[in-house]
Structure formats: structure tokens, C-alpha cells
């Protein structure tokens, strides 16, 4: 009987030794990496809010502006998420095929870091030249209105109080885009935008779709009669309308 007990004890001891030997041979698990390459991108880190928007002012916004600048934007890198940065975000989202809501969410951040979307743009001189070609009847007036509406920036966009937006050189509204079978992406093509504006002009052969900016242009233009001086007016200015695009073609 004692031999049986000793035999069992010896077997148990051998099994225990085998388990300990196996455990010792198994390599210890590697420590988890402290951060992935994606985590080291500032906008995707915990240092930045999940969704960034108008009014934010911090280093996250500065990073956003740098990425927009690399994409071809003309945004000022000042860490302030103001209207200019908002317009660039909206333009970037349109070009990227994302919802153009101006909110920098996770998807927008990732596409920004990919660096595949570029804001290829016409120079203001090229935009002006094309306007003069498309509006030979009144080229100066058409250029003046476009400068008032968008400063000749093909990626310019402004929101309306009803939630719609105006797009591109002549600030064509969502409503007019639908009528012209256009999209925000097409409206950012300066040639398409200028020709679309020509279609709107052709309806009455006037610039009534851009009434406020047309009025600003006429007030700032020299009188056609040099003997007739224009009466002084506090509204007279050679500068663009303080709120270009608000008198959009959404009538």
C-alpha cells in the first residue's frame, strides 16, 4: 500500500514539474503599444474634441488649419475656428464627398490626414478673365458683382438663415442649383459657376438675382455722365458688400 502511495506522489510530482517547465518555456506576452501611429495624430488624439466646430480656439484648430493649408486652402493659421476656417472645412468636405456641415468629425479628420483631397484653384485673374468672356455685354459689372459675392474665390460659400447655402464665384443657392441640375461640387468649378450665372442673367438679361451686390457696384461705379455728379451717400463704397452672398439668387 505504501508503494502505491509513493508511486502516486511521484507521478504528481513529475506532472507538476512538467507544467512548470512548460510555463517557463512560454515567452512572456509583449507589452501593449502605448499608442498607434493614428493616435499620435493630434486631431485623432484625446487632446482634441471628437467634433470640432465654429468658435473653438486651441492647438487642435491650429492643426486643422495646417492640414487645410496643405490641402490647398487659403486659410489663416491662427488657432481660431472662425468663418474663414468654416468655409474651408465646408469646401474640403464637398471635395471629399462628405456631408458639408462644417463640423470636423472623425471621418473628416481621417480624410484630412490622408492628404488625398486637394483644393486646386483658379487665380483671381483667370476667374475675372472668364467672367469677361461669358458676360461680354457688361463685363465690368459682372466682375464687380462676382467680387462682391465671393471675392472671386471659387470655393467661397455662405449659409442662409433657412439652413441652405450659396456656392462658388456667383454664390448660387441650393435652390438655383437644383433648377440648373447642379451640385455644390459643380458649383465649385468656376467655369460651370460662371456659365450658370449667365443662365440666370439670361432670364431677364439683368443682374436682379444679385440685387444687393449689383446696387453696391452701381453706387461705386463712376457716373456715365461726367457732368453729372453722383449725390453723396453714406452707403457709397468701393469695397465689397459687408455681407456678400446674402442677397443671393434665392429669389
Amino acid at each position: 500500500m505504501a508503494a502505491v502511495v509513493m508511486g502516486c506522489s511521484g507521478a504528481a510530482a513529475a506532472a507538476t514539474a512538467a507544467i512548470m517547465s512548460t510555463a517557463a518555456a512560454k515567452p512572456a506576452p509583449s507589452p501593449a503599444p502605448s499608442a498607434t501611429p493614428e493616435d499620435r495624430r493630434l486631431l485623432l488624439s484625446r487632446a482634441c474634441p471628437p467634433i470640432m466646430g465654429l468658435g473653438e480656439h486651441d492647438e487642435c484648430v491650429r492643426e486643422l488649419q495646417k492640414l487645410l493649408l496643405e490641402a490647398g486652402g487659403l486659410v489663416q493659421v491662427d488657432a481660431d475656428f472662425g468663418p474663414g476656417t468654416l468655409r474651408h472645412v465646408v469646401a474640403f468636405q464637398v471635395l471629399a464627398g462628405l456631408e458639408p456641415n462644417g463640423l470636423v468629425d472623425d471621418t473628416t479628420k481621417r480624410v484630412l490626414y490622408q492628404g488625398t483631397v486637394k483644393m486646386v484653384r483658379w487665380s483671381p485673374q483667370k476667374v475675372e478673365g472668364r467672367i469677361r468672356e461669358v458676360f461680354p455685354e457688361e463685363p465690368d459689372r459682372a466682375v464687380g458683382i462676382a467680387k462682391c459675392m465671393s471675392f472671386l474665390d471659387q470655393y467661397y460659400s455662405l449659409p442662409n438663415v433657412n439652413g441652405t447655402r450659396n456656392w462658388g464665384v456667383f454664390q448660387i443657392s441650393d435652390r438655383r442649383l437644383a433648377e440648373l441640375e447642379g451640385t455644390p461640387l459643380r458649383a465649385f468649378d468656376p467655369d460651370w459657376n460662371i456659365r450658370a450665372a449667365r443662365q440666370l442673367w439670361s432670364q431677364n438679361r439683368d443682374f436682379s438675382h444679385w440685387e444687393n451686390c449689383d446696387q453696391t457696384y452701381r453706387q461705386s461705379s463712376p457716373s456715365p455722365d461726367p457732368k453729372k455728379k453722383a449725390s453723396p451717400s453714406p452707403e457709397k463704397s468701393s469695397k465689397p458688400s459687408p455681407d456678400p452672398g446674402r442677397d443671393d439668387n434665392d429669389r
Side-chain angles (χ1 to χ4, degrees):
M1 186 68 176
V4 174
V5 173
M6 290 176 64
C8 291
S9 298
T16 302
I19 293 172
M20 292 177 65
S21 176
T22 302
K26 186 178 180 180
S30 301
S34 59
T36 65
E38 209 170 48
D39 295 331
R40 288 194 287 269
R41 299 172 182 177
L42 179 58
L43 295 187
L44 295 168
S45 71
R46 294 182 179 179
C48 297
I51 299 178
M52 300 165 58
L54 190 66
E56 187 173 345
H57 184 93
D58 52 28
E59 289 306 305
C60 298
V61 177
R62 190 184 303 277
E63 174 80 350
L64 167 65
Q65 292 169 333
K66 289 179 179 178
L67 292 170
L68 290 169
L69 199 63
E70 291 175 5
L74 301 178
V75 64
Q76 183 177 357
V77 181
D78 58 3
D80 184 19
F81 200 132
T85 299
L86 176 63
R87 285 194 296 272
H88 279 81
V89 169
V90 170
F92 180 87
Q93 290 173 325
V94 169
L95 295 177
L98 305 175
E99 181 184 356
N101 54 17
L103 299 175
V104 186
D105 58 8
D106 185 75
T107 301
T108 301
K109 293 174 184 178
R110 292 178 186 276
V111 178
L112 276 164
Y113 277 118
Q114 287 173 3
T116 55
V117 177
K118 299 297 181 182
M119 298 182 190
V120 180
R121 66 176 67 242
W122 286 16
S123 67
Q125 294 77 16
K126 185 174 180 179
V127 174
E128 178 174 340
R130 184 57 179 148
I131 293 173
R132 292 183 178 279
E133 292 173 356
V134 174
F135 289 91
E137 298 86 356
E138 295 185 87
D140 290 343
R141 190 173 180 181
V143 169
I145 290 172
K147 286 182 177 179
C148 171
M149 298 298 291
S150 67
F151 305 98
L152 303 183
D153 182 353
Q154 71 192 74
Y155 293 119
Y156 206 82
S157 68
L158 282 177
N160 297 308
V161 293
N162 61 1
T164 63
R165 275 188 174 271
N166 307 323
W167 306 94
V169 174
F170 276 94
Q171 288 295 277
I172 299 176
S173 67
D174 286 319
R175 175 187 169 189
R176 296 301 181 188
L177 280 183
E179 294 175 1
L180 297 168
E181 299 182 352
T183 63
L185 182 59
R186 295 189 74 181
F188 280 157
D189 174 355
D191 184 65
W192 186 92
N193 194 291
I194 295 167
R195 289 186 289 106
R198 171 76 185 194
Q199 286 184 254
L200 295 174
W201 176 88
S202 298
Q203 293 175 357
N204 299 307
R205 296 186 69 80
D206 63 25
F207 293 95
S208 57
H209 289 293
W210 303 273
E211 183 178 351
N212 289 348
C213 277
D214 186 35
Q215 182 179 3
T216 299
Y217 169 78
R218 287 186 280 107
Q219 289 176 341
S220 62
S221 298
S223 172
D225 184 357
K227 298 180 181 179
K228 184 178 181 181
K229 294 185 179 180
S231 58
S233 171
E235 298 179 355
K236 184 176 181 180
S237 172
S238 59
K239 297 181 180 180
S241 168
D243 197 3
R246 288 293 183 182
D247 60 325
D248 65 8
N249 38 63
D250 201 17
R251 296 180 177 82

